[in-house]
Each structure stands twice: as C-alpha cells, then as structure tokens.
Amino acid sequence: MTRADRGAQQERTTLAWRRTGLALGVGALTVGRLTVDTLGATVVVPLALVAVLAGWVVTSALRSRRLAREHPHDPRFSVLADARLPLALTVVLAVVGVAELASALARLR
Amino acid sequence: MNSEKKRWPASVYGRGTDPDARFSLANERTFLAWIRTGLALLAGAAALDALDLPLQDTVQGLLSALLALAGIVVAVTAFGGWMRIERAMREETPLPSNPAMPVVVVALVVVGVVLAVSAVLGGVVA
C-alpha cells in the first residue's frame, strides 16, 4: 500500500513536530516566568499541564517516527494517523494563550 | 487492511478514503506551522506585557491582550482547519481556506501601527 517514502516526508513531518513541541515548551516556560509576576503562583497549575503535554507531543512524534521506520509497509504507521496529537497541541497553545491574556488584562486594572 | 486501528475523530476518518500519505503529512505540517504562528503571536503578547515601552499601561495591556487573543484564535482554528482539510482531501472536495488569516493580519497591523506611532512620538504618548 505505502511505497517507500519520497521526499523524506515522514522525516520532515517528524522534525516539524519536534520543533513545534520544543518551541511550545520554551514558550510556555517564558510566558510562565513573565506571568508569575502579574498572576502569582496560580500559573503553576496550567503550566505544569502544558509542560506534560508538550513533553508528550515530542515523545509521541519520536515514537511515531520509530514505528514508521520499523514498519515501513504498514499503512497504520505511515502517518501520524490520528487527531489526538493535534488536539493536544491546540490545547497547549490555548492554555498558554489564556494565561498570557489574563496577564495582559491584569495589567489594565 | 481490516486491522485498521480506531482512528479519532470519526467525523474525519469515517468519511471518504485515505488520500496519498504525502498529502496528509503536508496537511499536518501546515497545521504545525499555524501552531508556531500562534506561539509567535503569544511570544509577542508576552513581550508587550513584560517590556517597558513608552506607552500608557492601558494601551500596552490592550495590545498585549489583542495579540494573545489572536494567538488563541489561531490555535483553535488551526485544529479546525486541519480537520476540514483532511476531510476535504478524503472526500476529494475543494480545500477550504483558513479563517485565521484575516485575524492574524488585523492583529499585526493594529499592533504594528500603534507601536510605530509610539516609536515616532517617543515619550510623548507616555
């Protein structure tokens, strides 16, 4: 079904996942560090969630890459064939966004 | 092919047939690029929130909030867009556009204009 990968699509996609996950981790830490001053210690809870999710995104992407390499002819592993990771990523970004929004609004008071 | 594991969500994978894997992967990378765009908007929001600029606190807070809101909108529409594109490819219908594009443009233009004006006026505004 799945032919040998042309154009290193799988590799490029895995790299995109990896740098997105890492960027989210770093972004979450930065926003966390900055919003601790305005929002206080409550930001620790959402940020811990974000850190866990970001770590999961990176490890899942790596695992998926490994599975694709081990099963080159199994279509189940030919793509990250599921929406759970994208959803997790969206949630991570939204949580960071809400924290930052709260911090910006706190400035208005 | 009967060994297909259950793929979520059914609203995407329950329809049509698998497109060429390369297209799905490209869709995924587009989604990830949107996520990083959203993250960049949030980084801008955080910078505006933290930096000491020659702006009134209220203005700076509003700009920061605008960028943060844009980041959230981009995150949510990135996921919706990924689903709609994947579905369209499975059903071989025309690809939808991403509604987050005007949001990003408007947010960046507003923030850019205000920052440019404040840079020209220097400390006058503050």
Side-chain angles (χ1 to χ4, degrees):
Chain A
M1 199 82 189
T2 308
R3 290 185 303 279
D5 204 12
R6 275 186 241 143
Q9 299 276 334
Q10 185 78 45
E11 190 75 45
R12 273 154 55 189
T13 308
T14 309
L15 287 170
W17 273 99
R18 208 183 303 181
R19 66 173 174 271
T20 305
L22 290 174
L24 272 177
V26 172
L29 285 179
T30 310
V31 169
R33 177 64 194 86
L34 294 175
T35 51
V36 159
D37 297 337
T38 45
L39 297 179
T42 39
V43 294
V44 170
V45 177
L47 285 171
L49 175 77
V50 161
V52 170
L53 274 175
W56 181 59
V57 164
V58 174
T59 50
S60 302
L62 294 179
R63 183 176 138 270
S64 179
R65 169 64 185 147
R66 180 172 55 75
L67 286 176
R69 209 163 30 206
E70 286 170 5
H71 309 272
H73 300 297
D74 190 331
R76 282 177 301 164
F77 302 118
S78 63
V79 286
L80 290 163
D82 203 87
R84 288 186 183 93
L85 268 185
L87 182 63
L89 219 45
T90 304
V91 170
V92 165
L93 193 54
V95 168
V96 175
V98 169
E100 183 46 49
L101 184 60
S103 171
L105 293 180
R107 178 189 263 274
L108 298 181
R109 279 180 311 197
Chain B
M1 293 310 106
N2 292 330
S3 63
E4 284 272 314
K5 64 177 175 182
K6 201 143 176 75
R7 294 161 87 188
W8 180 87
S11 65
V12 171
Y13 294 112
R15 307 212 200 162
T17 52
D18 278 349
D20 187 325
R22 285 173 291 179
F23 300 151
S24 289
L25 288 168
N27 185 26
E28 234 171 66
R29 292 197 296 273
T30 305
F31 162 78
L32 291 172
W34 273 110
I35 289 290
R36 292 195 297 274
T37 303
L39 187 62
L41 287 168
L42 292 186
L48 271 179
D49 193 12
L51 291 178
D52 203 11
L53 296 173
L55 284 172
Q56 283 173 358
D57 242 21
T58 318
V59 176
Q60 210 172 326
L62 281 177
L63 288 183
S64 176
L66 177 65
L67 281 183
L69 257 184
I72 295 171
V73 169
V74 165
V76 174
T77 53
F79 184 65
W82 176 84
M83 286 210 296
R84 283 182 301 126
I85 290 175
E86 195 69 22
R87 198 181 300 144
M89 289 194 303
R90 298 181 69 85
E91 296 180 329
E92 294 186 37
T93 53
L95 296 187
S97 67
N98 192 317
M101 285 181 195
V103 175
V104 175
V105 173
V106 168
L108 284 182
V109 167
V110 169
V111 173
V113 166
V114 174
L115 286 183
V117 169
S118 85
V120 169
L121 296 182
V124 180
V125 184

